[in-house]
Amino acid sequence: MISAVVFDVGETLVDESREYGTWADWLGVPRHTFSAVFGAAIASGLDYRQAFQVFQPDFDLTRERQARVDAGVPETYGEGDLYSDVRPALSKLKELGVWVGVVGNQTVRSGKILRSLDLPTDFIATSDDWGVAKPSVEFFAKVVEVAPCVAEEIVYVGDRIDNDVAPAKKAGMRTAYIQRGAWGWILRDSPEVADLSDWKIRDLAELPEIVVAENTSSRQ
């Protein structure tokens, strides 16, 4: 059975193109240049924050986020930054009786934005809310704790193997790797995607179909 589906945020629900563009602006570099360096960091297996350090060696993400707030240009996103398949897919999952959660590595500010969007969900939390972040064991233990079912009945959906699929799988959940965003496209053919993902999808609209197929099969 699939009783719950839990979603990552960035590049799973939210298209971060605009936001990473504003980081390029903040660093004073062309957006295309920043994107190229960002992708190169991911392809090289580096922490994505090292892309920022190429342009500013002493870059500290927490400090710079606060600096942006102080300057009146905080990180932000809204309805227009949601991928077009988000609301239809989440609504359909709810119609099917599936518990829908959204939990990712996000700030308290991001959590407030997510809640303000009135998404068709049962639960929204961020790593800052919980005080633990992906890919820690504690983070995914919290996901299992808040969901109304056992880990084996939860599908965690994300665009990253290291932060989403691998640790969710280790926690006993089933996993769906979504091929979009920098990580999703650059690492789409890595062996870990095939080894650790129960499903590899290109569109969130595939999830309700997966739920129907799995739950119908489990009843037979």
Side-chain angles (χ1 to χ4, degrees):
M1 283 286 293
I2 296 175
S3 300
V5 178
V6 181
F7 295 86
D8 171 45
V9 180
E11 295 305 341
T12 298
L13 303 181
V14 177
D15 180 346
E16 296 181 307
S17 300
R18 180 166 69 98
E19 187 49 43
Y20 280 121
T22 64
W23 273 116
D25 299 343
W26 180 255
L27 292 168
V29 298
R31 292 187 173 196
H32 177 68
T33 300
F34 180 81
S35 294
V37 172
F38 191 88
I42 293 169
S44 300
L46 301 175
D47 187 303
Y48 77 97
R49 286 167 290 194
Q50 292 185 248
F52 295 84
Q53 293 168 356
V54 169
F55 306 104
Q56 184 177 310
D58 64 344
F59 184 90
D60 178 271
L61 185 57
T62 301
R63 183 190 66 211
E64 293 298 323
R65 277 177 171 155
Q66 185 57 50
R68 286 186 57 173
V69 170
D70 295 342
V73 287
E75 291 181 287
T76 191
Y77 57 91
E79 182 70 30
D81 298 297
L82 293 176
Y83 280 104
S84 61
D85 56 2
V86 172
R87 287 193 180 276
L90 270 58
S91 295
K92 184 62 177 178
L93 289 171
K94 292 283 289 176
E95 290 172 13
L96 293 171
V98 174
W99 187 89
V100 177
V102 176
V103 190
N105 275 0
Q106 300 288 321
T107 62
V108 170
R109 177 184 178 83
S110 177
K112 291 178 179 177
I113 294 172
L114 283 168
R115 295 181 185 97
S116 75
L117 294 174
D118 194 27
L119 294 168
T121 62
D122 295 287
F123 184 83
I124 293 175
T126 70
S127 54
D128 272 11
D129 294 332
W130 283 351
V132 291
K134 296 186 294 184
S136 71
V137 171
E138 293 79 11
F139 179 96
F140 288 93
K142 289 283 288 183
V143 173
V144 176
E145 179 185 322
V146 300
C149 56
V150 296
E152 292 79 7
E153 295 181 7
I154 304 170
V155 175
Y156 193 85
V157 185
D159 63 306
R160 292 178 61 173
I161 289 294
D162 57 346
N163 257 26
D164 301 320
V165 172
K169 195 74 171 178
K170 187 175 181 180
M173 297 179 229
R174 301 170 83 182
T175 57
Y177 178 87
I178 186 160
Q179 185 182 312
R180 63 183 174 201
W183 282 274
W185 278 100
I186 292 170
L187 302 179
R188 68 191 184 281
D189 294 325
S190 65
E192 291 82 6
V193 172
D195 293 343
L196 299 175
S197 304
D198 291 282
W199 299 278
K200 180 179 176 181
I201 63 175
R202 294 279 294 272
D203 193 295
L204 296 181
E206 297 173 57
L207 290 169
E209 298 171 3
I210 289 169
V211 168
V212 170
E214 289 294 305
N215 290 357
T216 299
S217 175
S218 70
R219 296 189 187 102
Q220 293 176 346

